[in-house]
Amino acid sequence: MDPNFINIAIVVVYLIAMLAFGWWGKSRTRNNSDFLVAGRRLGPFLYTGTMAAVVLGGASTVGGVGLGYKFGISGMWLVVAIGAGVLLLSLLFAGTIQRLKIYTVSQMLTLRYGSKATQTSGIVMLAYTLMLCATSTSAYATIFVVLFGWERWLAIAVGGAIVLVYSTIGGMWSITLADQVQFVIKTVGIFLLMLPFTLNAAGGLDGIRSRVDESFFHMDGIGVQTIITYFVVYTLGLLIGQDIWQRVFTAKNPEVARWGGATAGIYCILYGVAGALIGLGAKVALPEIDVATGGKDIVYAEVAQNLLPVGIGGLVLAAAVAAMMSTASGALIAAATVARADVLPFVASWFGKDINTEDTDNPEHDVKANRMWVLGLGIVAILIAIITKDVVAALTIAYDILVGGLLVAILGGLVWKRGTGLAAAASMAVGSIITLGTMIALEISAEVPLDGVFANEPIYFGLIASALVYVAVSLLTRPTDPQVMRNWVRRVAGKDNEEVPVAVPAR
């Protein structure tokens, strides 16, 4: 029997299982809360697994191993920065976020500032979640191309279609159930299979050290500036991303959100170390991989195909697919939620229309509407993914825009009572414009290559400008309406359990 056939069979069985979880989740989905936030009922086990699954995607798994191959142990910093973001979010803000009983980041801004001007955040968040979904979807190609010999566009289309089907059918319940399987597969694939087999093939750490340059064991081998950029972009980005907040909304209480998330953050850090060690071992065991031509993202698939026994290689490839699907599905439902709850009412207000897309008299009809948004945006994401080439670079650009544009207004609202709605809107506009403008200027001047982590100046300029505008405008304008602040304080304290509607009507 062809050894590759067994690997293919294992991956195919896994993909079929994901579709089955879609139907299973459908049976638990009866209203908006079920479809969008799993009924806000997840306990510690389910919550920890789904949080770890959503943040550890293609960039963390495939990209992390590739960085380890290229830079050694310091390749871990990308995923460590992601884990740090999950830890900070969980320990500092998750309890507050869970008590708000909302569906989107933009709804938090509306509650906190009482200003419809902050609804512009929905457009920025929609762009970010769509890019995150597209880049995660494009990562399928690195596995399917090697495994099936498909063209890249076909690999993206098939993988994207599977995520689209199970996400559309059952929403967050399907995604959560699938995430648990994906979490287990990733854990077994990375820690119990790929790591020991790769290190053994390379002769252990002593064998690796004797055959590579000492710089591969330096913690700053990837570059201090790059490490700083990882933390600025990914750690801060995870504090405010809709895809991450939407998982926080699924926790059944603040304690689960806080400590389940902290556990997931620690897991992510260990995952990053393991990925870098796998890449480092592959540098010795498979020195012939041409990362200059094929890209560093091919290292993972090459290790699975060439260093692992038949069958085990299939499980490891399934682990990579699991990582990509977790992030893609989480970003997809986040994009659909933002589009329907925030962007549609905001755009309609431009034409003088007041839209509330929630059908409270017919919950099943409302779930159907959410499914249509997931389906439509999923197709858009697949099309975008086909033209996206570098997973880490594209994702970094998406995070740049998110952090540079929205971070100050969101965190400012959570920690500074004097912040005002006008200041939040102004800081978002200035931060986004400065970030995008700097990216374009650097690309045109060719002074800094705009690929991945090297595009660090835009986010710094955007953040500084956004912070200055936020503080200045807050101090120069009237404080937030006292009634708005009283309602905000009650909700943060968990004294108001009424959910914010799926769509905030434009006022």
Short mmCIF file of all heavy atoms in Angstrom, two decimals, residues 369-411:
data_model
loop_
_atom_site.label_atom_id
_atom_site.label_comp_id
_atom_site.label_asym_id
_atom_site.label_seq_id
_atom_site.Cartn_x
_atom_site.Cartn_y
_atom_site.Cartn_z
N ALA A 369 -30.85 34.05 9.16
CA ALA A 369 -30.21 35.25 8.65
C ALA A 369 -28.72 35.26 8.97
O ALA A 369 -27.88 35.62 8.15
CB ALA A 369 -30.88 36.49 9.24
N ASN A 370 -28.37 34.84 10.20
CA ASN A 370 -26.96 34.75 10.57
C ASN A 370 -26.22 33.75 9.69
O ASN A 370 -25.06 33.97 9.30
CB ASN A 370 -26.83 34.34 12.04
CG ASN A 370 -27.06 35.49 12.99
OD1 ASN A 370 -26.64 36.61 12.73
ND2 ASN A 370 -27.77 35.23 14.07
N ARG A 371 -26.87 32.64 9.37
CA ARG A 371 -26.24 31.66 8.49
C ARG A 371 -25.93 32.25 7.12
O ARG A 371 -24.90 31.96 6.53
CB ARG A 371 -27.15 30.43 8.35
CG ARG A 371 -27.23 29.55 9.58
CD ARG A 371 -27.87 28.21 9.26
NE ARG A 371 -27.85 27.34 10.44
CZ ARG A 371 -28.93 27.02 11.14
NH1 ARG A 371 -30.12 27.48 10.78
NH2 ARG A 371 -28.83 26.22 12.20
N MET A 372 -26.83 33.07 6.62
CA MET A 372 -26.62 33.67 5.31
C MET A 372 -25.41 34.62 5.34
O MET A 372 -24.64 34.68 4.38
CB MET A 372 -27.87 34.43 4.87
CG MET A 372 -29.08 33.53 4.57
SD MET A 372 -28.73 32.32 3.24
CE MET A 372 -28.42 30.82 4.22
N TRP A 373 -25.24 35.34 6.44
CA TRP A 373 -24.07 36.21 6.57
C TRP A 373 -22.77 35.39 6.62
O TRP A 373 -21.78 35.75 6.01
CB TRP A 373 -24.20 37.08 7.82
CG TRP A 373 -25.07 38.27 7.61
CD1 TRP A 373 -26.37 38.42 7.96
CD2 TRP A 373 -24.69 39.50 6.97
NE1 TRP A 373 -26.84 39.66 7.59
CE2 TRP A 373 -25.83 40.34 6.98
CE3 TRP A 373 -23.52 39.97 6.40
CZ2 TRP A 373 -25.82 41.63 6.45
CZ3 TRP A 373 -23.50 41.25 5.86
CH2 TRP A 373 -24.63 42.06 5.88
N VAL A 374 -22.79 34.30 7.37
CA VAL A 374 -21.60 33.43 7.45
C VAL A 374 -21.28 32.87 6.07
O VAL A 374 -20.12 32.87 5.63
CB VAL A 374 -21.82 32.29 8.46
CG1 VAL A 374 -20.68 31.28 8.38
CG2 VAL A 374 -21.94 32.84 9.88
N LEU A 375 -22.30 32.41 5.37
CA LEU A 375 -22.09 31.84 4.04
C LEU A 375 -21.53 32.86 3.07
O LEU A 375 -20.54 32.60 2.37
CB LEU A 375 -23.42 31.29 3.51
CG LEU A 375 -23.39 30.67 2.10
CD1 LEU A 375 -22.47 29.46 2.07
CD2 LEU A 375 -24.81 30.29 1.66
N GLY A 376 -22.13 34.04 3.03
CA GLY A 376 -21.68 35.06 2.08
C GLY A 376 -20.26 35.54 2.34
O GLY A 376 -19.44 35.62 1.43
N LEU A 377 -19.96 35.83 3.60
CA LEU A 377 -18.62 36.31 3.92
C LEU A 377 -17.58 35.20 3.81
O LEU A 377 -16.42 35.46 3.52
CB LEU A 377 -18.60 36.92 5.33
CG LEU A 377 -19.33 38.26 5.45
CD1 LEU A 377 -19.38 38.71 6.89
CD2 LEU A 377 -18.67 39.32 4.59
N GLY A 378 -18.01 33.95 4.03
CA GLY A 378 -17.08 32.84 3.85
C GLY A 378 -16.63 32.72 2.40
O GLY A 378 -15.45 32.46 2.13
N ILE A 379 -17.55 32.92 1.49
CA ILE A 379 -17.19 32.88 0.07
C ILE A 379 -16.23 34.02 -0.27
O ILE A 379 -15.24 33.83 -0.99
CB ILE A 379 -18.46 32.96 -0.80
CG1 ILE A 379 -19.31 31.69 -0.61
CG2 ILE A 379 -18.11 33.16 -2.28
CD1 ILE A 379 -20.67 31.76 -1.27
N VAL A 380 -16.49 35.20 0.28
CA VAL A 380 -15.59 36.33 0.06
C VAL A 380 -14.19 36.03 0.59
O VAL A 380 -13.18 36.29 -0.06
CB VAL A 380 -16.15 37.61 0.73
CG1 VAL A 380 -15.12 38.74 0.68
CG2 VAL A 380 -17.44 38.05 0.04
N ALA A 381 -14.11 35.45 1.79
CA ALA A 381 -12.82 35.12 2.39
C ALA A 381 -12.04 34.12 1.56
O ALA A 381 -10.82 34.23 1.41
CB ALA A 381 -13.02 34.59 3.81
N ILE A 382 -12.73 33.13 1.00
CA ILE A 382 -12.06 32.14 0.16
C ILE A 382 -11.47 32.80 -1.08
O ILE A 382 -10.33 32.52 -1.48
CB ILE A 382 -13.05 31.03 -0.24
CG1 ILE A 382 -13.40 30.17 0.98
CG2 ILE A 382 -12.46 30.13 -1.33
CD1 ILE A 382 -14.52 29.18 0.74
N LEU A 383 -12.22 33.71 -1.68
CA LEU A 383 -11.71 34.41 -2.87
C LEU A 383 -10.50 35.27 -2.53
O LEU A 383 -9.52 35.31 -3.29
CB LEU A 383 -12.83 35.28 -3.47
CG LEU A 383 -14.03 34.51 -4.05
CD1 LEU A 383 -15.10 35.48 -4.52
CD2 LEU A 383 -13.57 33.61 -5.20
N ILE A 384 -10.55 35.93 -1.37
CA ILE A 384 -9.40 36.74 -0.94
C ILE A 384 -8.19 35.84 -0.69
O ILE A 384 -7.05 36.17 -1.04
CB ILE A 384 -9.74 37.53 0.33
CG1 ILE A 384 -10.83 38.58 0.03
CG2 ILE A 384 -8.49 38.23 0.88
CD1 ILE A 384 -11.32 39.29 1.27
N ALA A 385 -8.43 34.67 -0.10
CA ALA A 385 -7.34 33.76 0.26
C ALA A 385 -6.57 33.29 -0.97
O ALA A 385 -5.36 33.04 -0.90
CB ALA A 385 -7.90 32.55 1.01
N ILE A 386 -7.25 33.16 -2.07
CA ILE A 386 -6.60 32.66 -3.27
C ILE A 386 -5.50 33.59 -3.76
O ILE A 386 -4.52 33.15 -4.36
CB ILE A 386 -7.66 32.41 -4.37
CG1 ILE A 386 -8.55 31.24 -3.97
CG2 ILE A 386 -7.01 32.13 -5.72
CD1 ILE A 386 -9.71 30.96 -4.90
N ILE A 387 -5.62 34.89 -3.44
CA ILE A 387 -4.59 35.84 -3.90
C ILE A 387 -3.61 36.20 -2.79
O ILE A 387 -2.74 37.04 -2.98
CB ILE A 387 -5.22 37.12 -4.46
CG1 ILE A 387 -6.02 37.86 -3.37
CG2 ILE A 387 -6.12 36.80 -5.64
CD1 ILE A 387 -6.54 39.21 -3.82
N THR A 388 -3.74 35.57 -1.60
CA THR A 388 -2.84 35.84 -0.49
C THR A 388 -1.69 34.83 -0.49
O THR A 388 -1.93 33.64 -0.55
CB THR A 388 -3.59 35.75 0.85
OG1 THR A 388 -4.68 36.67 0.83
CG2 THR A 388 -2.67 36.09 2.01
N LYS A 389 -0.45 35.30 -0.39
CA LYS A 389 0.71 34.42 -0.55
C LYS A 389 1.40 34.05 0.76
O LYS A 389 1.77 32.91 0.97
CB LYS A 389 1.73 35.09 -1.48
CG LYS A 389 1.18 35.44 -2.86
CD LYS A 389 0.69 34.21 -3.60
CE LYS A 389 0.18 34.55 -4.99
NZ LYS A 389 -0.36 33.38 -5.71
N ASP A 390 1.62 35.01 1.65
CA ASP A 390 2.40 34.77 2.87
C ASP A 390 1.51 34.88 4.10
O ASP A 390 0.96 35.94 4.39
CB ASP A 390 3.56 35.77 2.96
CG ASP A 390 4.54 35.42 4.06
OD1 ASP A 390 4.11 35.26 5.22
OD2 ASP A 390 5.74 35.32 3.77
N VAL A 391 1.37 33.77 4.83
CA VAL A 391 0.47 33.73 5.99
C VAL A 391 0.88 34.74 7.05
O VAL A 391 0.09 35.56 7.50
CB VAL A 391 0.45 32.31 6.60
CG1 VAL A 391 -0.40 32.28 7.85
CG2 VAL A 391 -0.06 31.30 5.59
N VAL A 392 2.14 34.69 7.49
CA VAL A 392 2.59 35.56 8.58
C VAL A 392 2.57 37.02 8.16
O VAL A 392 2.13 37.88 8.92
CB VAL A 392 4.00 35.14 9.04
CG1 VAL A 392 4.51 36.10 10.11
CG2 VAL A 392 3.98 33.71 9.58
N ALA A 393 3.01 37.33 6.95
CA ALA A 393 3.07 38.72 6.50
C ALA A 393 1.68 39.33 6.41
O ALA A 393 1.43 40.44 6.90
CB ALA A 393 3.76 38.79 5.15
N ALA A 394 0.74 38.63 5.79
CA ALA A 394 -0.61 39.17 5.63
C ALA A 394 -1.29 39.34 6.97
O ALA A 394 -2.00 40.33 7.20
CB ALA A 394 -1.42 38.25 4.72
N LEU A 395 -1.08 38.39 7.87
CA LEU A 395 -1.69 38.48 9.19
C LEU A 395 -1.12 39.66 9.97
O LEU A 395 -1.84 40.35 10.70
CB LEU A 395 -1.49 37.18 9.95
CG LEU A 395 -2.26 37.03 11.27
CD1 LEU A 395 -3.75 37.17 11.03
CD2 LEU A 395 -1.94 35.70 11.91
N THR A 396 0.17 39.91 9.83
CA THR A 396 0.79 41.03 10.51
C THR A 396 0.19 42.35 10.05
O THR A 396 -0.06 43.26 10.84
CB THR A 396 2.31 41.03 10.27
OG1 THR A 396 2.85 39.81 10.78
CG2 THR A 396 2.98 42.19 10.99
N ILE A 397 -0.02 42.48 8.75
CA ILE A 397 -0.62 43.70 8.21
C ILE A 397 -2.02 43.91 8.79
O ILE A 397 -2.41 45.02 9.16
CB ILE A 397 -0.66 43.64 6.67
CG1 ILE A 397 0.77 43.68 6.11
CG2 ILE A 397 -1.47 44.81 6.10
CD1 ILE A 397 0.85 43.43 4.62
N ALA A 398 -2.80 42.82 8.87
CA ALA A 398 -4.14 42.91 9.43
C ALA A 398 -4.09 43.37 10.89
O ALA A 398 -4.89 44.22 11.31
CB ALA A 398 -4.84 41.56 9.33
N TYR A 399 -3.17 42.82 11.65
CA TYR A 399 -3.03 43.23 13.05
C TYR A 399 -2.56 44.68 13.16
O TYR A 399 -2.95 45.40 14.08
CB TYR A 399 -2.04 42.31 13.77
CG TYR A 399 -2.67 41.09 14.39
CD1 TYR A 399 -2.40 39.81 13.90
CD2 TYR A 399 -3.51 41.20 15.48
CE1 TYR A 399 -2.97 38.68 14.47
CE2 TYR A 399 -4.08 40.08 16.07
CZ TYR A 399 -3.80 38.82 15.56
OH TYR A 399 -4.37 37.71 16.14
N ASP A 400 -1.70 45.12 12.26
CA ASP A 400 -1.23 46.51 12.26
C ASP A 400 -2.41 47.47 12.22
O ASP A 400 -2.50 48.44 12.99
CB ASP A 400 -0.32 46.77 11.06
CG ASP A 400 1.12 46.39 11.34
OD1 ASP A 400 1.40 45.85 12.42
OD2 ASP A 400 1.97 46.63 10.46
N ILE A 401 -3.33 47.20 11.30
CA ILE A 401 -4.48 48.08 11.12
C ILE A 401 -5.38 48.03 12.36
O ILE A 401 -5.87 49.06 12.83
CB ILE A 401 -5.26 47.67 9.86
CG1 ILE A 401 -4.37 47.83 8.62
CG2 ILE A 401 -6.53 48.50 9.72
CD1 ILE A 401 -4.97 47.25 7.36
N LEU A 402 -5.59 46.86 12.89
CA LEU A 402 -6.43 46.71 14.07
C LEU A 402 -5.85 47.45 15.27
O LEU A 402 -6.54 48.26 15.91
CB LEU A 402 -6.57 45.22 14.42
CG LEU A 402 -7.34 44.91 15.70
CD1 LEU A 402 -8.83 45.16 15.51
CD2 LEU A 402 -7.10 43.48 16.15
N VAL A 403 -4.58 47.21 15.57
CA VAL A 403 -3.96 47.81 16.75
C VAL A 403 -3.80 49.32 16.58
O VAL A 403 -4.14 50.10 17.48
CB VAL A 403 -2.59 47.15 17.04
CG1 VAL A 403 -1.90 47.86 18.19
CG2 VAL A 403 -2.78 45.68 17.36
N GLY A 404 -3.29 49.73 15.43
CA GLY A 404 -3.08 51.16 15.20
C GLY A 404 -4.37 51.95 15.22
O GLY A 404 -4.40 53.11 15.65
N GLY A 405 -5.48 51.32 14.80
CA GLY A 405 -6.73 52.05 14.71
C GLY A 405 -7.62 51.98 15.95
O GLY A 405 -8.23 52.98 16.33
N LEU A 406 -7.72 50.81 16.59
CA LEU A 406 -8.74 50.63 17.61
C LEU A 406 -8.24 50.43 19.04
O LEU A 406 -9.01 50.59 19.99
CB LEU A 406 -9.61 49.41 17.25
CG LEU A 406 -10.33 49.43 15.90
CD1 LEU A 406 -11.27 48.24 15.80
CD2 LEU A 406 -11.09 50.72 15.70
N LEU A 407 -7.00 50.06 19.23
CA LEU A 407 -6.52 49.69 20.56
C LEU A 407 -6.77 50.77 21.61
O LEU A 407 -7.29 50.51 22.69
CB LEU A 407 -5.03 49.36 20.51
CG LEU A 407 -4.42 48.98 21.86
CD1 LEU A 407 -4.80 47.55 22.23
CD2 LEU A 407 -2.90 49.12 21.84
N VAL A 408 -6.39 51.99 21.30
CA VAL A 408 -6.47 53.08 22.29
C VAL A 408 -7.91 53.33 22.71
O VAL A 408 -8.21 53.46 23.90
CB VAL A 408 -5.82 54.35 21.73
CG1 VAL A 408 -6.07 55.53 22.66
CG2 VAL A 408 -4.33 54.15 21.52
N ALA A 409 -8.82 53.39 21.74
CA ALA A 409 -10.22 53.68 22.07
C ALA A 409 -10.83 52.57 22.92
O ALA A 409 -11.59 52.85 23.86
CB ALA A 409 -11.02 53.87 20.79
N ILE A 410 -10.51 51.32 22.62
CA ILE A 410 -11.10 50.20 23.35
C ILE A 410 -10.53 50.09 24.76
O ILE A 410 -11.28 50.06 25.75
CB ILE A 410 -10.88 48.89 22.58
CG1 ILE A 410 -11.64 48.92 21.26
CG2 ILE A 410 -11.34 47.69 23.41
CD1 ILE A 410 -11.30 47.78 20.32
N LEU A 411 -9.22 50.04 24.87
CA LEU A 411 -8.62 49.92 26.21
C LEU A 411 -8.82 51.19 27.02
O LEU A 411 -9.00 51.13 28.25
CB LEU A 411 -7.12 49.61 26.09
CG LEU A 411 -6.76 48.25 25.47
CD1 LEU A 411 -5.28 47.97 25.64
CD2 LEU A 411 -7.59 47.12 26.06
#
